[in-house]
Amino acid sequence: MPSTFQRQSVGDFKYHVGISSLTQVASRDDRVCVLNILGGESSEVTPVSHVYSGGNVVCGTAPGKGGSVLETSIGNIPVYNNVRDALAAGHRFNCGVVYLPPSAARDGVAELIRVNAELRKIFIITEKISVHDAREIRAMGQQNGIDIFGANGLGVADSWNQVRIGGALGGDKPGDSLRPGSIAIFSNSGGFSTTIAQYLRMAGWGTTTVVSSGKDVYIHYAAPEFAFALANDARSKAAVLYCEPGGFYENDATFTKPVVACVVGRWKSKLTRAVGHAGAMAGGSDDAQAKERWFMEKFGVTELFTPENPVVSSKGAVVTNIAHIPAALTAVMRANATMPDFPAEGNLALKPWFGSDEGLDLPDELRLPVVEALAPYNEQVALLNTQIGGVVPRQTMKDASGASQMDAKTQVSSLHGTTMLNAATFALESNVALALVHDAGGENDRKLIAPAIAAFINLYGRPELAAAQASREAGNAPNAVLAAAAAIVGPKRQEAARAALKFMIERFHVAGLGMEFGASLSEDFEIARVDVGGQPGLTTDTPDARAQALIAGVEARGGRSVFLRWLQSLPGHPTEAAVLAALCATLAWGPLSRKRISRATAESFPWWLQLFGTLIGASTDASKHEPTRFSGIDQPELLGKLSLGEIAFAALLGQIPGEDDLFAFQTLVGLLLTNGPGAISAQGAKGAVSADGPEQPDRVQLNKALIGFLTHTGYAHGGNGY
Amino acid sequence: MQITGMLHGARLLEFAGFPTTDVLGPAASEEEIKAMLDKHGLIFIKPVFKGGIGKKGKAGLLGRAKDLQTALAEKERLYFAEHQVGHVKAKANGVTFEAGVPATHEVYFSISDSTHFRAPTMTLTHMGGMDIEELDKSQVAMVPFDPLTGLKAFVVANALTEIGAPKEIISPLVQQLPKLWELFHNFGMTTLELNPIRMREDKKGRLTPVACDFKCGFDRDDPRWLRLKLPPHLFAADYSNFEQEINTLRTHQGQSDVYVINDKGTVLAPTFGGGANSLVTEMLGDAAIISSDFGGNPPYEKMKEVARICFKHWLKQANVLFIIGGKSNNTDIFETLRAMADALREHFSAHGPTPLYVVVGRGGPNLVRGMGALRDTCDALGLPYRLFGFDSDMSEVIQFAKKIDLWMRDGGRAQVAQRLGIEAPATTA
């Protein structure tokens, strides 16, 4: 085994150091063998390093997988069972990278050293290596004159040589962070090595060599030897060090060039256990404040550098916030009559890529406007933003939608976050909205829901009325009567409205209708922006009476809708389906654009409204349905004046209610909105729908769901058959 | 993970074959104590603390007795003694009775890994029994040695000669001290300290080093200490319930390092990367609930489980959910953000909504997809948020999160609660 006196030791260190200049850390001549090259992390990271470096990985090992390869865009890297086999196959290398798990890392180091006489450097990426093994790794390296980097590090990179060895410094695009310049970086944190390189670029400073040292108890290539190599590297004019508490390394370093030292970790003096960085630990004479003092002494400054108090000397500055590094460096270098390497590339100001205030009253300084992300992220964000409506995560089939919940302590149920006690105070229209678009909505919503449902209550001449009546006369329970009516109102009845609604949503989204509150009834929105081409069925040549009656009802109530406004601006006469679609679009737009509901939920809205109207109508005897009247109420009054609560009351009890009666009625309905999760009635609905295989949304039959619900409620349970 | 005192120390030293004084534990009967007094004349009574804590002698926490009555009185005084050194507080649970060893020489010995020498280092002086920091440097030997060959007899001998130790103690120490290296290195220790070792004289005047106190620390990442079969409760006090739950998920595939900073804090900050952890914890101060590092590319299931546990313990009191890290090198941002988003959704589903503002600062593979998943979840749940990429300075993002927290404390939380339809006004911190 070769011994130390065959390998030159540099400097006057008490231990072996082989590297005399930073140019030797990651050079174009280095050839690399990666241990455990096919492991999860290495298989992602090694190809990137290999390509960036122009192909410096000559081979790798993976026990039992000899003969396979690691693919890269510039050619495959051969894999062997062990290092000896790799050498026997003719490969030669001077660097080893260790990606082995913690218990195997030490033996990997031993193998590299024993088997390959040409080995000069080892880079250990593995974290959580035991101190026991770290001691032995250090001793083996020292005895054989090997420079070791790490452990728990991210390797090294050199911007001038365009070489990266070891780990993922600079992420999957090292070139984005590593621009040649005059600053060397030494960092205890792997992630921050890249971050600091980026921050420096923003301020106009490029890099020479970047070293990620790790922060274990044993740091094998530490600040003293880095300082030495820095002194001997003509390319580097200065360095940035990022240090954490623990270890006397930095105290022993002698700097001959300007340095900005960032020391982070004062809070760690309070800990009794390490978090994240094994060596960065609790209060001793090598804690964060001690390190700050060491550096301040070396640089001849008496205070830390902050933008408000920019204390520097020509030897350096000390910061405790990485954001201050660029300014500190520029100030130090100015004191050395040196300008930045290139013009500033940008800034690090806050730039949110996504944001939402949810209508809250936040102070201006917290309402940061969303900005366009830098390329290529901006394209990805734009693509993401074309999606409207929420996406429900895949869940295993359970009664677990979360729509209905019950408070364990009070036994009070809630629907979409509204308790039944609150729902009992709402108008019937609001509870319809709560159930269907998850939001009770406001006054305008009520003005749209009432006529929309009312339009389908009078069933004169329709088969569903005949079906309900026949069922009633045969002595069926009330819910069976309703079910009979519901069974008729199938998919074809709402096809046109659904298609129109889908169309409207898409076109208005493209035209830029916003998601702020009130957007869907806005008077200002330019309806001309909405492209109308290619959708049949929105208008007809001859007036549609039902459509006109519905519009009249909405206008009589003072309801507003940008969709209806647009529809009326089109040539021809609106169809009933289109009007219904426009009202539904108005109601669904807010929850849809705020991602509370999915597209499928929004598009089902017309069908639900038809069904509710049908059920209210079918709940009363056929004799109450007359050509122009329902339960003695004229159609225009039904559509344009009465509230839904009043109409429903009249249907059930034969007269328009007074204030107290209406109150009692709506309270009752509100209280019964949900019995909590897992109720038998809900199971009935679910069973009916799942029988058709709801993975294909067009197979879902909402009226069937209602029938399932109705048939599973009766005299004994389920709201006592109401 | 530390042990102080001879209750367990004596057993470990016996394991290594190093002579110790006689020791009785808290369950010792009066007969046993009496027998020890009869045999040795003088006994010490010391409180048993969990973990490592020093300077007990100076704090008057050392009892001595020459008769049974005094011994029992000291037992009572010290059984539940409380002690504080710096930030570390401890309460005793029990006492040991240790035989006094008459001696003219007291030796201090310790082994630890020195970052000056980058090697295991022995510290040794014949002026033991006192504060080592107060001694003159010429009287203390600090000697690094090679871990592959171990602490050899000649290393000990040379050291003692150099500091001018009395000749009669050299040979006995040279014979016994090297055994301690085996204990230290092969059983996962990072520090080992015996102070004092007293040189006991036998009838023929020969000296034997006898350990009269013991302190050691173990490496959490080294399973070797498990071979010692120490009772698990010794280290359980180090962790809170929350930390223990997270620790069950500890594998080398992604860290799950976590520490409770302030259990009354209001910013819940799952952090990624050791460097980010340092900066975030420093800047948040007491506003932070936990200090954490969940980096290292954890898979979806593990990340979701970690998030679930964090939310279970802390989401209710949190004003801000602050997901923060640098530009990740290999952690998949889509996997991790999606896992946290799904855990958040499930938490709301199971426990109902809680007022929260979400802030994210992150970079790495699949970044935009990950942000999209989180954004969709926040929209669906009605939560306000700002998501920052890696082109925003991390410390500015942290400041933003702090300002949001302040706004929440100042009435913002009630506003958010109202928007979410939560009835009872939520408590502010």
Side-chain angles (χ1 to χ4, degrees), chain A residues 131-132 135-136 168 199 218 225 248 266 273 348 351 353 385 405 422 596, chain B residues 113 115 118 185 189 219 258 282 329 349 375 379 387 392-394 423:
Chain A
V131 178
H132 170 285
R135 285 176 204 134
E136 297 193 355
Y199 283 18
Y218 277 85
E225 35 278 23
F248 289 88
R266 281 191 181 192
R273 248 185 35 242
L348 291 163
K351 302 185 253 321
W353 293 2
N385 283 339
Q405 297 195 357
N422 268 348
R596 295 296 200 288
Chain B
D113 296 283
T115 54
R118 317 260 188 106
H185 187 57
M189 288 186 187
D219 178 6
V258 85
E282 180 94 28
N329 299 295
S349 201
R375 174 200 65 173
D379 282 339
L387 312 183
S392 297
D393 163 47
M394 195 188 291
E423 266 120 44

mmCIF file of all heavy atoms in Angstrom, chain A residues 131-132 135-136 168 199 218 225 248 266 273 348 351 353 385 405 422 596, chain B residues 113 115 118 185 189 219 258 282 329 349 375 379 387 392-394 423:
data_model
loop_
_atom_site.group_PDB
_atom_site.id
_atom_site.type_symbol
_atom_site.label_atom_id
_atom_site.label_comp_id
_atom_site.label_asym_id
_atom_site.label_seq_id
_atom_site.Cartn_x
_atom_site.Cartn_y
_atom_site.Cartn_z
ATOM 1 N N VAL A 131 -20.118 8.735 13.353
ATOM 2 C CA VAL A 131 -18.844 9.373 13.681
ATOM 3 C C VAL A 131 -17.742 8.319 13.706
ATOM 4 O O VAL A 131 -16.611 8.571 13.286
ATOM 5 C CB VAL A 131 -18.928 10.104 15.030
ATOM 6 C CG1 VAL A 131 -17.593 10.717 15.387
ATOM 7 C CG2 VAL A 131 -20.000 11.178 14.980
ATOM 8 N N HIS A 132 -18.075 7.143 14.147
ATOM 9 C CA HIS A 132 -17.136 6.022 14.163
ATOM 10 C C HIS A 132 -16.535 5.821 12.775
ATOM 11 O O HIS A 132 -15.323 5.740 12.599
ATOM 12 C CB HIS A 132 -17.898 4.770 14.594
ATOM 13 C CG HIS A 132 -17.142 3.488 14.430
ATOM 14 N ND1 HIS A 132 -16.929 2.872 13.208
ATOM 15 C CD2 HIS A 132 -16.553 2.695 15.351
ATOM 16 C CE1 HIS A 132 -16.226 1.756 13.390
ATOM 17 N NE2 HIS A 132 -15.989 1.633 14.666
ATOM 18 N N ARG A 135 -14.329 8.804 11.557
ATOM 19 C CA ARG A 135 -12.955 8.768 12.084
ATOM 20 C C ARG A 135 -12.073 7.904 11.218
ATOM 21 O O ARG A 135 -10.940 8.272 10.895
ATOM 22 C CB ARG A 135 -12.943 8.135 13.489
ATOM 23 C CG ARG A 135 -13.453 8.985 14.589
ATOM 24 C CD ARG A 135 -13.458 8.189 15.886
ATOM 25 N NE ARG A 135 -14.452 8.780 16.771
ATOM 26 C CZ ARG A 135 -15.346 8.123 17.468
ATOM 27 N NH1 ARG A 135 -15.398 6.800 17.410
ATOM 28 N NH2 ARG A 135 -16.207 8.760 18.223
ATOM 29 N N GLU A 136 -12.598 6.727 10.893
ATOM 30 C CA GLU A 136 -11.778 5.772 10.148
ATOM 31 C C GLU A 136 -11.561 6.240 8.717
ATOM 32 O O GLU A 136 -10.479 6.052 8.152
ATOM 33 C CB GLU A 136 -12.433 4.387 10.199
ATOM 34 C CG GLU A 136 -12.496 3.859 11.634
ATOM 35 C CD GLU A 136 -12.852 2.383 11.717
ATOM 36 O OE1 GLU A 136 -13.136 1.782 10.662
ATOM 37 O OE2 GLU A 136 -12.854 1.844 12.840
ATOM 38 N N ALA A 168 -25.347 17.172 -6.652
ATOM 39 C CA ALA A 168 -26.203 17.989 -7.505
ATOM 40 C C ALA A 168 -26.015 19.482 -7.278
ATOM 41 O O ALA A 168 -26.981 20.204 -7.176
ATOM 42 C CB ALA A 168 -27.653 17.597 -7.261
ATOM 43 N N TYR A 199 -27.223 34.086 -6.102
ATOM 44 C CA TYR A 199 -27.301 35.435 -5.536
ATOM 45 C C TYR A 199 -26.141 36.295 -6.051
ATOM 46 O O TYR A 199 -26.310 37.464 -6.366
ATOM 47 C CB TYR A 199 -27.238 35.379 -4.005
ATOM 48 C CG TYR A 199 -28.514 34.962 -3.321
ATOM 49 C CD1 TYR A 199 -29.531 34.309 -4.010
ATOM 50 C CD2 TYR A 199 -28.709 35.211 -1.975
ATOM 51 C CE1 TYR A 199 -30.690 33.923 -3.360
ATOM 52 C CE2 TYR A 199 -29.873 34.837 -1.321
ATOM 53 C CZ TYR A 199 -30.848 34.193 -2.021
ATOM 54 O OH TYR A 199 -31.997 33.819 -1.373
ATOM 55 N N TYR A 218 -17.005 15.474 11.417
ATOM 56 C CA TYR A 218 -15.762 15.476 10.638
ATOM 57 C C TYR A 218 -16.008 16.136 9.288
ATOM 58 O O TYR A 218 -16.775 15.610 8.483
ATOM 59 C CB TYR A 218 -15.268 14.030 10.409
ATOM 60 C CG TYR A 218 -14.482 13.486 11.571
ATOM 61 C CD1 TYR A 218 -15.121 12.899 12.653
ATOM 62 C CD2 TYR A 218 -13.092 13.576 11.591
ATOM 63 C CE1 TYR A 218 -14.396 12.413 13.727
ATOM 64 C CE2 TYR A 218 -12.350 13.082 12.667
ATOM 65 C CZ TYR A 218 -13.013 12.513 13.733
ATOM 66 O OH TYR A 218 -12.300 12.030 14.799
ATOM 67 N N GLU A 225 -7.785 24.390 4.661
ATOM 68 C CA GLU A 225 -7.184 23.980 3.387
ATOM 69 C C GLU A 225 -7.823 24.711 2.208
ATOM 70 O O GLU A 225 -7.179 24.919 1.174
ATOM 71 C CB GLU A 225 -7.215 22.457 3.193
ATOM 72 C CG GLU A 225 -8.399 21.722 3.727
ATOM 73 C CD GLU A 225 -8.331 21.403 5.223
ATOM 74 O OE1 GLU A 225 -7.599 22.076 5.990
ATOM 75 O OE2 GLU A 225 -9.070 20.503 5.638
ATOM 76 N N PHE A 248 -13.860 23.856 15.147
ATOM 77 C CA PHE A 248 -12.942 24.988 15.178
ATOM 78 C C PHE A 248 -12.285 25.256 13.832
ATOM 79 O O PHE A 248 -11.305 25.987 13.738
ATOM 80 C CB PHE A 248 -11.856 24.741 16.246
ATOM 81 C CG PHE A 248 -12.401 24.836 17.641
ATOM 82 C CD1 PHE A 248 -12.952 23.721 18.262
ATOM 83 C CD2 PHE A 248 -12.406 26.044 18.301
ATOM 84 C CE1 PHE A 248 -13.491 23.815 19.543
ATOM 85 C CE2 PHE A 248 -12.934 26.152 19.577
ATOM 86 C CZ PHE A 248 -13.479 25.032 20.198
ATOM 87 N N ARG A 266 -27.242 31.244 15.421
ATOM 88 C CA ARG A 266 -27.172 31.649 16.835
ATOM 89 C C ARG A 266 -28.187 30.893 17.669
ATOM 90 O O ARG A 266 -27.951 30.571 18.822
ATOM 91 C CB ARG A 266 -27.475 33.137 16.970
ATOM 92 C CG ARG A 266 -26.316 34.008 16.625
ATOM 93 C CD ARG A 266 -26.594 35.425 17.045
ATOM 94 N NE ARG A 266 -25.488 36.295 16.707
ATOM 95 C CZ ARG A 266 -25.383 37.527 17.170
ATOM 96 N NH1 ARG A 266 -26.311 38.007 17.961
ATOM 97 N NH2 ARG A 266 -24.359 38.272 16.832
ATOM 98 N N ARG A 273 -29.827 19.121 20.840
ATOM 99 C CA ARG A 273 -29.737 18.032 19.852
ATOM 100 C C ARG A 273 -29.512 18.649 18.485
ATOM 101 O O ARG A 273 -30.047 19.697 18.235
ATOM 102 C CB ARG A 273 -31.091 17.360 19.759
ATOM 103 C CG ARG A 273 -31.233 16.025 20.237
ATOM 104 C CD ARG A 273 -32.573 15.359 20.012
ATOM 105 N NE ARG A 273 -33.305 15.628 18.848
ATOM 106 C CZ ARG A 273 -34.502 16.184 18.846
ATOM 107 N NH1 ARG A 273 -35.044 16.546 19.971
ATOM 108 N NH2 ARG A 273 -35.151 16.384 17.731
ATOM 109 N N LEU A 348 -33.309 40.080 -6.376
ATOM 110 C CA LEU A 348 -33.936 39.000 -5.622
ATOM 111 C C LEU A 348 -35.189 39.470 -4.909
ATOM 112 O O LEU A 348 -35.625 38.855 -3.954
ATOM 113 C CB LEU A 348 -32.928 38.463 -4.598
ATOM 114 C CG LEU A 348 -31.764 37.735 -5.252
ATOM 115 C CD1 LEU A 348 -30.619 37.600 -4.268
ATOM 116 C CD2 LEU A 348 -32.210 36.359 -5.722
ATOM 117 N N LYS A 351 -41.110 38.038 -5.760
ATOM 118 C CA LYS A 351 -41.863 37.944 -7.004
ATOM 119 C C LYS A 351 -42.796 36.740 -6.915
ATOM 120 O O LYS A 351 -42.430 35.630 -7.326
ATOM 121 C CB LYS A 351 -40.905 37.716 -8.179
ATOM 122 C CG LYS A 351 -39.852 38.811 -8.328
ATOM 123 C CD LYS A 351 -39.027 38.592 -9.554
ATOM 124 C CE LYS A 351 -37.611 38.118 -9.317
ATOM 125 N NZ LYS A 351 -36.883 38.663 -8.219
ATOM 126 N N TRP A 353 -45.255 33.981 -7.873
ATOM 127 C CA TRP A 353 -45.705 33.418 -9.140
ATOM 128 C C TRP A 353 -47.195 33.092 -9.079
ATOM 129 O O TRP A 353 -47.853 32.965 -10.091
ATOM 130 C CB TRP A 353 -44.921 32.144 -9.448
ATOM 131 C CG TRP A 353 -43.473 32.355 -9.722
ATOM 132 C CD1 TRP A 353 -42.780 33.548 -9.687
ATOM 133 C CD2 TRP A 353 -42.519 31.362 -10.065
ATOM 134 N NE1 TRP A 353 -41.464 33.332 -9.984
ATOM 135 C CE2 TRP A 353 -41.275 32.008 -10.223
ATOM 136 C CE3 TRP A 353 -42.598 29.976 -10.266
ATOM 137 C CZ2 TRP A 353 -40.114 31.311 -10.572
ATOM 138 C CZ3 TRP A 353 -41.445 29.297 -10.613
ATOM 139 C CH2 TRP A 353 -40.210 29.960 -10.761
ATOM 140 N N ASN A 385 -52.620 27.805 -15.954
ATOM 141 C CA ASN A 385 -53.719 28.743 -15.751
ATOM 142 C C ASN A 385 -54.853 28.577 -16.746
ATOM 143 O O ASN A 385 -55.897 29.199 -16.590
ATOM 144 C CB ASN A 385 -53.196 30.188 -15.796
ATOM 145 C CG ASN A 385 -52.494 30.553 -14.503
ATOM 146 O OD1 ASN A 385 -52.711 29.929 -13.482
ATOM 147 N ND2 ASN A 385 -51.648 31.568 -14.563
ATOM 148 N N GLN A 405 -70.568 16.807 7.330
ATOM 149 C CA GLN A 405 -69.788 16.426 8.506
ATOM 150 C C GLN A 405 -70.660 16.570 9.734
ATOM 151 O O GLN A 405 -71.670 17.250 9.702
ATOM 152 C CB GLN A 405 -68.560 17.338 8.644
ATOM 153 C CG GLN A 405 -67.612 17.206 7.483
ATOM 154 C CD GLN A 405 -66.264 17.798 7.779
ATOM 155 O OE1 GLN A 405 -66.038 18.356 8.833
ATOM 156 N NE2 GLN A 405 -65.365 17.666 6.831
ATOM 157 N N ASN A 422 -77.214 27.250 10.969
ATOM 158 C CA ASN A 422 -77.151 28.417 10.078
ATOM 159 C C ASN A 422 -78.024 28.244 8.855
ATOM 160 O O ASN A 422 -78.733 29.163 8.438
ATOM 161 C CB ASN A 422 -75.697 28.633 9.612
ATOM 162 C CG ASN A 422 -74.966 29.579 10.529
ATOM 163 O OD1 ASN A 422 -75.582 30.237 11.354
ATOM 164 N ND2 ASN A 422 -73.659 29.634 10.383
ATOM 165 N N ARG A 596 -63.671 26.033 -6.213
ATOM 166 C CA ARG A 596 -64.402 25.317 -5.175
ATOM 167 C C ARG A 596 -65.083 24.086 -5.730
ATOM 168 O O ARG A 596 -65.341 23.129 -5.019
ATOM 169 C CB ARG A 596 -65.505 26.199 -4.586
ATOM 170 C CG ARG A 596 -65.038 27.364 -3.874
ATOM 171 C CD ARG A 596 -64.233 26.955 -2.628
ATOM 172 N NE ARG A 596 -64.189 28.058 -1.723
ATOM 173 C CZ ARG A 596 -63.480 29.140 -1.934
ATOM 174 N NH1 ARG A 596 -62.743 29.218 -3.000
ATOM 175 N NH2 ARG A 596 -63.522 30.146 -1.105
ATOM 176 N N ASP B 113 -13.873 13.679 19.673
ATOM 177 C CA ASP B 113 -13.340 13.970 18.342
ATOM 178 C C ASP B 113 -13.004 15.449 18.275
ATOM 179 O O ASP B 113 -13.880 16.289 18.414
ATOM 180 C CB ASP B 113 -14.377 13.617 17.268
ATOM 181 C CG ASP B 113 -14.688 12.138 17.244
ATOM 182 O OD1 ASP B 113 -13.851 11.384 16.705
ATOM 183 O OD2 ASP B 113 -15.727 11.729 17.797
ATOM 184 N N THR B 115 -11.920 18.857 16.494
ATOM 185 C CA THR B 115 -11.914 19.454 15.157
ATOM 186 C C THR B 115 -10.625 20.252 14.916
ATOM 187 O O THR B 115 -10.364 20.661 13.803
ATOM 188 C CB THR B 115 -13.122 20.371 14.944
ATOM 189 O OG1 THR B 115 -13.172 21.338 15.990
ATOM 190 C CG2 THR B 115 -14.409 19.567 14.926
ATOM 191 N N ARG B 118 -8.729 16.943 13.883
ATOM 192 C CA ARG B 118 -9.498 16.087 12.974
ATOM 193 C C ARG B 118 -9.257 14.615 13.286
ATOM 194 O O ARG B 118 -9.111 13.782 12.396
ATOM 195 C CB ARG B 118 -9.139 16.336 11.510
ATOM 196 C CG ARG B 118 -9.005 17.769 11.152
ATOM 197 C CD ARG B 118 -10.219 18.339 10.474
ATOM 198 N NE ARG B 118 -9.854 19.686 10.026
ATOM 199 C CZ ARG B 118 -9.621 20.002 8.762
ATOM 200 N NH1 ARG B 118 -9.783 19.116 7.813
ATOM 201 N NH2 ARG B 118 -9.252 21.236 8.455
ATOM 202 N N HIS B 185 -15.077 3.634 20.936
ATOM 203 C CA HIS B 185 -15.137 3.523 19.478
ATOM 204 C C HIS B 185 -16.104 2.454 19.011
ATOM 205 O O HIS B 185 -16.787 2.619 17.996
ATOM 206 C CB HIS B 185 -13.718 3.234 18.967
ATOM 207 C CG HIS B 185 -13.591 3.255 17.465
ATOM 208 N ND1 HIS B 185 -13.926 4.343 16.702
ATOM 209 C CD2 HIS B 185 -13.131 2.317 16.606
ATOM 210 C CE1 HIS B 185 -13.687 4.075 15.429
ATOM 211 N NE2 HIS B 185 -13.211 2.867 15.339
ATOM 212 N N MET B 189 -19.901 5.890 20.762
ATOM 213 C CA MET B 189 -19.808 7.112 21.573
ATOM 214 C C MET B 189 -19.147 8.227 20.789
ATOM 215 O O MET B 189 -18.319 7.989 19.920
ATOM 216 C CB MET B 189 -18.988 6.848 22.843
ATOM 217 C CG MET B 189 -19.701 5.989 23.858
ATOM 218 S SD MET B 189 -18.707 5.884 25.374
ATOM 219 C CE MET B 189 -19.660 4.654 26.277
ATOM 220 N N ASP B 219 -23.711 8.714 19.506
ATOM 221 C CA ASP B 219 -23.978 9.194 18.153
ATOM 222 C C ASP B 219 -25.326 8.622 17.704
ATOM 223 O O ASP B 219 -25.477 7.403 17.562
ATOM 224 C CB ASP B 219 -22.840 8.707 17.243
ATOM 225 C CG ASP B 219 -23.029 9.100 15.796
ATOM 226 O OD1 ASP B 219 -23.972 9.851 15.477
ATOM 227 O OD2 ASP B 219 -22.225 8.640 14.961
ATOM 228 N N VAL B 258 -36.547 16.909 13.162
ATOM 229 C CA VAL B 258 -37.501 17.887 13.648
ATOM 230 C C VAL B 258 -37.236 18.195 15.118
ATOM 231 O O VAL B 258 -36.761 17.342 15.865
ATOM 232 C CB VAL B 258 -38.937 17.347 13.419
ATOM 233 C CG1 VAL B 258 -39.361 16.467 14.554
ATOM 234 C CG2 VAL B 258 -39.906 18.466 13.219
ATOM 235 N N GLU B 282 -33.484 30.661 12.526
ATOM 236 C CA GLU B 282 -32.864 31.866 13.063
ATOM 237 C C GLU B 282 -33.789 33.063 12.920
ATOM 238 O O GLU B 282 -34.028 33.804 13.861
ATOM 239 C CB GLU B 282 -31.573 32.124 12.288
ATOM 240 C CG GLU B 282 -30.815 33.337 12.716
ATOM 241 C CD GLU B 282 -29.744 33.012 13.730
ATOM 242 O OE1 GLU B 282 -29.242 31.880 13.716
ATOM 243 O OE2 GLU B 282 -29.422 33.895 14.535
ATOM 244 N N ASN B 329 -31.913 20.146 -5.042
ATOM 245 C CA ASN B 329 -31.036 19.477 -5.978
ATOM 246 C C ASN B 329 -31.642 18.180 -6.473
ATOM 247 O O ASN B 329 -31.547 17.843 -7.633
ATOM 248 C CB ASN B 329 -29.704 19.215 -5.301
ATOM 249 C CG ASN B 329 -29.056 20.519 -4.882
ATOM 250 O OD1 ASN B 329 -28.694 21.329 -5.701
ATOM 251 N ND2 ASN B 329 -28.940 20.722 -3.586
ATOM 252 N N SER B 349 -60.791 17.959 5.787
ATOM 253 C CA SER B 349 -61.932 17.071 5.642
ATOM 254 C C SER B 349 -62.263 16.393 6.963
ATOM 255 O O SER B 349 -63.426 16.271 7.342
ATOM 256 C CB SER B 349 -61.584 16.009 4.593
ATOM 257 O OG SER B 349 -62.713 15.441 4.077
ATOM 258 N N ARG B 375 -51.693 25.239 -5.156
ATOM 259 C CA ARG B 375 -52.601 26.346 -5.447
ATOM 260 C C ARG B 375 -54.032 25.851 -5.566
ATOM 261 O O ARG B 375 -54.969 26.428 -5.010
ATOM 262 C CB ARG B 375 -52.173 27.030 -6.741
ATOM 263 C CG ARG B 375 -53.175 28.097 -7.159
ATOM 264 C CD ARG B 375 -53.091 28.455 -8.596
ATOM 265 N NE ARG B 375 -53.445 27.353 -9.473
ATOM 266 C CZ ARG B 375 -53.575 27.467 -10.787
ATOM 267 N NH1 ARG B 375 -53.382 28.633 -11.348
ATOM 268 N NH2 ARG B 375 -53.879 26.434 -11.520
ATOM 269 N N ASP B 379 -57.112 27.047 -3.238
ATOM 270 C CA ASP B 379 -58.315 27.627 -3.828
ATOM 271 C C ASP B 379 -59.536 26.838 -3.384
ATOM 272 O O ASP B 379 -60.559 27.401 -3.003
ATOM 273 C CB ASP B 379 -58.225 27.594 -5.364
ATOM 274 C CG ASP B 379 -57.335 28.698 -5.894
ATOM 275 O OD1 ASP B 379 -57.120 29.689 -5.162
ATOM 276 O OD2 ASP B 379 -56.842 28.560 -7.029
ATOM 277 N N LEU B 387 -47.165 32.144 -3.480
ATOM 278 C CA LEU B 387 -46.175 31.112 -3.785
ATOM 279 C C LEU B 387 -45.006 31.767 -4.514
ATOM 280 O O LEU B 387 -45.193 32.365 -5.572
ATOM 281 C CB LEU B 387 -46.794 30.013 -4.655
ATOM 282 C CG LEU B 387 -48.158 29.460 -4.194
ATOM 283 C CD1 LEU B 387 -48.594 28.319 -5.114
ATOM 284 C CD2 LEU B 387 -48.104 28.979 -2.760
ATOM 285 N N SER B 392 -36.842 34.636 -5.816
ATOM 286 C CA SER B 392 -37.074 35.591 -4.740
ATOM 287 C C SER B 392 -36.127 35.229 -3.610
ATOM 288 O O SER B 392 -36.010 34.064 -3.257
ATOM 289 C CB SER B 392 -38.512 35.510 -4.228
ATOM 290 O OG SER B 392 -39.425 35.862 -5.226
ATOM 291 N N ASP B 393 -35.487 36.212 -3.046
ATOM 292 C CA ASP B 393 -34.532 35.943 -1.981
ATOM 293 C C ASP B 393 -35.194 35.271 -0.790
ATOM 294 O O ASP B 393 -36.219 35.718 -0.295
ATOM 295 C CB ASP B 393 -33.894 37.254 -1.543
ATOM 296 C CG ASP B 393 -33.216 37.130 -0.205
ATOM 297 O OD1 ASP B 393 -32.477 36.148 -0.013
ATOM 298 O OD2 ASP B 393 -33.449 37.980 0.659
ATOM 299 N N MET B 394 -34.585 34.216 -0.314
ATOM 300 C CA MET B 394 -35.207 33.423 0.733
ATOM 301 C C MET B 394 -35.434 34.224 2.005
ATOM 302 O O MET B 394 -36.475 34.080 2.656
ATOM 303 C CB MET B 394 -34.343 32.190 1.057
ATOM 304 C CG MET B 394 -35.125 31.171 1.870
ATOM 305 S SD MET B 394 -34.115 29.818 2.489
ATOM 306 C CE MET B 394 -33.746 28.999 0.958
ATOM 307 N N GLU B 423 -67.431 29.390 12.892
ATOM 308 C CA GLU B 423 -68.243 30.244 13.748
ATOM 309 C C GLU B 423 -67.527 30.830 14.939
ATOM 310 O O GLU B 423 -67.395 32.011 15.091
ATOM 311 C CB GLU B 423 -69.489 29.506 14.213
ATOM 312 C CG GLU B 423 -70.657 29.784 13.304
ATOM 313 C CD GLU B 423 -71.158 28.498 12.697
ATOM 314 O OE1 GLU B 423 -71.263 27.519 13.450
ATOM 315 O OE2 GLU B 423 -71.407 28.466 11.490
#
